[in-house]
Amino acid sequence: MNAVLKCIDPGCGLEYPIDSTLVECERGHLLDVKYPGSPPESLKEVFRCRRDPGGSIFNESGVWRFRELLNFCSIDTEDAEQCAAHLVSLDGAEGRQSKPYRMGRVSKFTEMEPDSLWLQPEGYNPSGSFKDNGMATAVTHARMVSAGKIVCASTGNTSASAGMFAANEGIECDVYIPAGQIAPGKLSQAYQFGAQIIEVDGNFDDALRRSLDEARGSGGYTVNSINPFRIEGQKTIPYRALEQLDWEAPDWIVYPGGALGNTSSCGKALMELHEWGWIGKIPRIAVINAEGARTLSDLYNDRGLRWNGGKPDTGLIEDHYAEMDRTGAGPRTRATAIQIGRPANILKGLRALEYTDGVVTTVSDTEMLDGMSAVGLNGFDCEMASGATPAGIKKLVKEGVIKRDDTVVGILTGRQKDAMLPVEYHSDPSNMFARPPRAR
Ligand SMILES: N[C@@H](CCOP(=O)(O)O)C(=O)O
């Protein structure tokens, strides 16, 4: 039996063959990749052995090392020729360098016990963000269905990742961006990789609508996280975290919240692992929204919206979006990677929160910049949106939601591509970690 695409709405449950390019079922619900059976726990040892030097690029890859858990192509995963013929990889570089590290300065910043906090820099991916984990699998599927062109909307990182894989595979890539709202370091990557940039007058949500319409009309293949195959690759982020902790589940996994692809993939990974008996305990997910882009927080914390076993009150989401349209109150934060008002994966995100007894909170732009700077002081750079992770942990520790000695894995989603931001931060002596330049 092969994997299938299945509607996430338990009341609908429509199924499609795995080579379908739908991103939603015909009733407009998101889709999951569903695999038959339960993989044996002995694979943990196979994954560990693949980390030993001297293997194939698919063993070096931090994504394809776990290929038995992502085998929607139904290939013999031990057959090197089949792997090479079917799996898309940037020479094994995706996910290879990203695993949890200890960062003493961040522990201090968050007031956590030094041994309790781990930070996983997903910016150490070839295009500089976590997107490469999911893009490797999405582009594998694009190739499986012989797509000639991939299409995305982006605040920058998705376009860099899509452009990189498209260039490597020799396929076209169209990128819809909100004009003037992208960090130059991200935009220049998409140009360098030869992507076609289409500037949209509006924000990311408008750009996503345009790119989805375009993909429907022209047969382009969508590689945003609304694509269920993107979610599959991003499951390897928690896999690598768990592996580092000898598959002892931490108490918390913390992510910045934008389109909620990561929340969704982490939730799906944990649901599957728990169902297969690979982890005894389910870590709680904490999602950190920017104060200025807080759709999830508003709906979850203020309006009480829940997945509700697959029966969410979607009217609350529609009302929220209608209100945003009426007032023109779009998302506003300098952390452009999470400046998103309509998270495409909101329902999968709610499902993940329900399954993991998760929490949602918000942090200000100043708090994110402080978090980003605390990470920098450990010799790791990250972008402003990633600063939401340490800033959110700090807030949740202060509120007593996260205990100082809980085991926490915080995900740092991308590298610093907004070159002037740290310069600006450190030039202002009033900032928490500022080191203003000295004149001689
Ligand atoms: N921050 C994102 C926004 C799109 O997210 P995606 O995960 O749905 O592709 C970006 O980098 O473009």
Side-chain angles (χ1 to χ4, degrees), residues 130-131 153-158 204 223-226 230 259 337 340:
F130 75 88
K131 310 280 179 177
S154 187
T155 61
N157 282 329
T158 293
F204 169 79
V223 292
N224 281 104
S225 59
I226 192 170
R230 266 280 307 276
I340 292 172

Side-chain angles (χ1 to χ4, degrees), residues 24 151-154 176-177 200-217 222 224 226 321-322 324-325 331 341-342 344:
E24 291 171 342
V151 180
C152 67
S154 187
Y176 290 74
I177 57 159
V200 174
D201 186 19
N203 58 26
F204 169 79
D205 303 319
D206 302 314
L208 182 61
R209 260 194 299 255
R210 281 283 306 281
S211 83
L212 291 172
D213 287 349
E214 178 60 27
R216 263 180 230 117
T222 294
N224 281 104
I226 192 170
Y321 293 169
M324 279 192 331
D325 288 343
R342 295 169 189 251

Side-chain angles (χ1 to χ4, degrees), residues 61-273:
S61 164
V63 173
W64 294 121
R65 190 152 58 78
F66 301 101
R67 53 192 174 271
E68 284 76 8
L69 309 188
L70 315 164
N71 190 9
F72 52 81
C73 309
S74 301
I75 58 168
D76 174 350
T77 51
E78 288 298 351
D79 181 323
E81 274 174 32
Q82 286 198 30
C83 288
H86 291 89
L87 309 179
V88 168
S89 171
L90 207 94
D91 209 21
E94 57 286 334
R96 184 162 66 203
Q97 305 289 353
S98 68
K99 59 170 187 133
Y101 294 84
R102 296 206 188 280
M103 297 190 195
R105 298 295 289 263
V106 184
S107 299
K108 206 159 161 211
F109 169 73
T110 56
E111 296 184 30
M112 290 220 39
E113 297 292 347
D115 286 345
S116 300
L117 180 62
W118 299 85
L119 279 307
Q120 183 161 321
E122 288 298 322
Y124 282 33
N125 265 288
S127 82
S129 83
F130 75 88
K131 310 280 179 177
D132 296 346
N133 296 287
M135 208 57 77
T137 44
V139 178
T140 293
H141 187 252
R143 199 164 81 169
M144 180 174 161
V145 300
S146 308
K149 178 166 82 176
I150 60 172
V151 180
C152 67
S154 187
T155 61
N157 282 329
T158 293
S159 55
S161 183
M164 179 186 75
F165 278 103
N168 210 249
E169 288 300 303
I171 52 177
E172 280 181 57
C173 175
D174 282 359
V175 169
Y176 290 74
I177 57 159
Q181 294 173 42
I182 302 232
K186 297 178 179 176
L187 188 55
S188 60
Q189 284 182 292
Y191 275 114
Q192 273 213 299
F193 296 136
Q196 176 62 56
I197 310 290
I198 299 118
E199 291 190 327
V200 174
D201 186 19
N203 58 26
F204 169 79
D205 303 319
D206 302 314
L208 182 61
R209 260 194 299 255
R210 281 283 306 281
S211 83
L212 291 172
D213 287 349
E214 178 60 27
R216 263 180 230 117
S218 73
Y221 181 97
T222 294
V223 292
N224 281 104
S225 59
I226 192 170
N227 174 338
F229 297 92
R230 266 280 307 276
I231 299 296
E232 287 309 291
Q234 283 167 218
K235 290 190 313 190
T236 63
I237 298 172
Y239 292 166
R240 292 192 297 274
L242 285 161
E243 191 180 50
Q244 175 81 17
L245 304 178
D246 292 325
W247 299 92
E248 279 294 318
D251 297 301
W252 293 91
I253 302 183
V254 184
Y255 285 100
L260 301 178
N262 270 331
T263 311
S264 307
S265 54
C266 185
K268 184 170 190 276
L270 298 175
M271 281 190 253
E272 291 171 342
L273 292 171

Side-chain angles (χ1 to χ4, degrees), residues 38-49 68-69 247 276-278:
S38 302
E41 204 174 346
S42 54
L43 281 169
K44 286 177 179 173
E45 182 56 14
V46 174
F47 302 153
R48 196 197 58 74
C49 289
E68 284 76 8
L69 309 188
W247 299 92
W276 303 331
W278 283 36

